[in-house]
Amino acid sequence: MRYFVTGTDTDCGKTFVSSALLHAAQARGSTLGLKPIASGCEVTPEGLRNTDALSLIAQSSVKLDYSQVNPFSFEPAIAPHIAAKHLGIGLSVDAICQHLEALPLSSADLMLVEGAGGWRLPLGGGEFLSQAVKQLSMPVILVVGVKLGCLNHAVLTQEAILADGLTLAGWVANVTDPNMAYLQENLTTLTELMTSPCLGVVPYLPSRNVAAAAGYCDIDALS
């Protein structure tokens, strides 16, 4: 099974939830997490490294070279297409698809490809990352960062995914605001508005403990 993981916005917890899903799936088979595009990378003796990509690697039983997991890495924490333009790097739908199709994807029982930002991440030249997902016909998992405004963001993202002709395989509520008023009422409304299965409700975990978050995820609910 392979899925693309997107989110309602930046910092909604895509990596945290993706890592938790991979952790939860380890008891059932092999896992692989990929992060094709990442900004805000750190300079290391081995080259640019991104904490999100490293988190996915830590929860992957199928081990690949870093460059295979995160082929498009940029040091500035800015929109990837802007960083790519300044470096003269071609960031395109075809480049992303060609990279993913060249990987040993069948070696993992569960593969998660984590996006960057939200569903309509620009690649430049009028292209969007969502077009690569459509070209690869990948079902989508949506991470909803639960905070004020998340209902609108979740519904709009769901509508865009479905309008692109893709399957929304499930969604995860990740509570990012520990002081959100009427939290349960918002979660109930989310459940009513979303058309796919809820794969879990991850409470606010200041420790960011992946194993703890995995306990709130239901892999079996994936459609």
Side-chain angles (χ1 to χ4, degrees):
M1 299 187 296
R2 63 177 190 170
Y3 300 90
F4 183 85
V5 181
T6 191
T8 44
D9 53 9
T10 301
D11 295 328
C12 67
K14 290 189 303 296
T15 301
F16 186 44
V17 170
S18 295
S19 298
L21 290 171
L22 291 170
H23 187 92
Q26 287 176 3
R28 295 179 173 85
S30 57
T31 57
L32 175 60
L34 304 172
K35 179 81 174 179
I37 304 171
S39 294
C41 300
E42 297 180 3
V43 178
T44 75
E46 293 77 31
L48 290 176
R49 293 294 183 266
N50 177 262
T51 55
D52 291 350
L54 293 175
S55 179
L56 297 176
I57 290 171
Q59 300 302 326
S60 299
S61 61
V62 176
K63 299 302 181 182
L64 302 178
D65 292 338
Y66 182 87
S67 61
Q68 293 178 293
V69 174
N70 176 213
F72 299 99
S73 52
F74 307 101
E75 183 180 357
I78 60 177
H81 76 288
I82 296 176
K85 182 177 181 180
H86 280 283
L87 292 172
I89 294 174
L91 196 58
S92 68
V93 169
D94 285 343
I96 293 167
C97 289
Q98 288 171 11
H99 174 81
L100 291 176
E101 289 172 334
L103 296 178
L105 305 183
S106 60
S107 60
D109 295 311
L110 175 66
M111 183 191 75
L112 299 181
V113 179
E114 184 194 329
W119 181 243
R120 288 284 187 247
L121 178 83
L123 298 179
E127 294 189 341
F128 298 91
L129 182 56
S130 55
Q131 291 172 280
V133 185
K134 184 174 182 178
Q135 187 166 312
L136 294 169
S137 298
M138 296 182 69
V140 181
I141 295 173
L142 174 63
V143 177
V144 179
V146 180
K147 59 183 179 181
L148 186 62
C150 69
L151 301 179
N152 173 62
H153 291 161
V155 172
L156 287 176
T157 305
Q158 174 177 254
E159 289 176 352
I161 292 168
L162 298 177
D164 283 343
L166 292 165
T167 299
L168 184 58
W171 60 281
V172 178
N174 179 49
V175 180
T176 58
D177 179 3
N179 301 311
M180 184 175 184
Y182 299 100
L183 173 61
Q184 191 53 56
E185 287 86 346
N186 278 274
L187 291 172
T188 298
T189 302
L190 266 175
T191 302
E192 294 170 348
L193 294 174
M194 302 304 286
T195 60
S196 60
C198 178
L199 309 179
V201 177
V202 180
Y204 181 73
L205 298 173
S207 66
R208 305 287 289 178
N209 186 292
V210 169
Y216 295 96
C217 298
D218 183 10
I219 293 292
D220 294 333
L222 270 172
S223 62

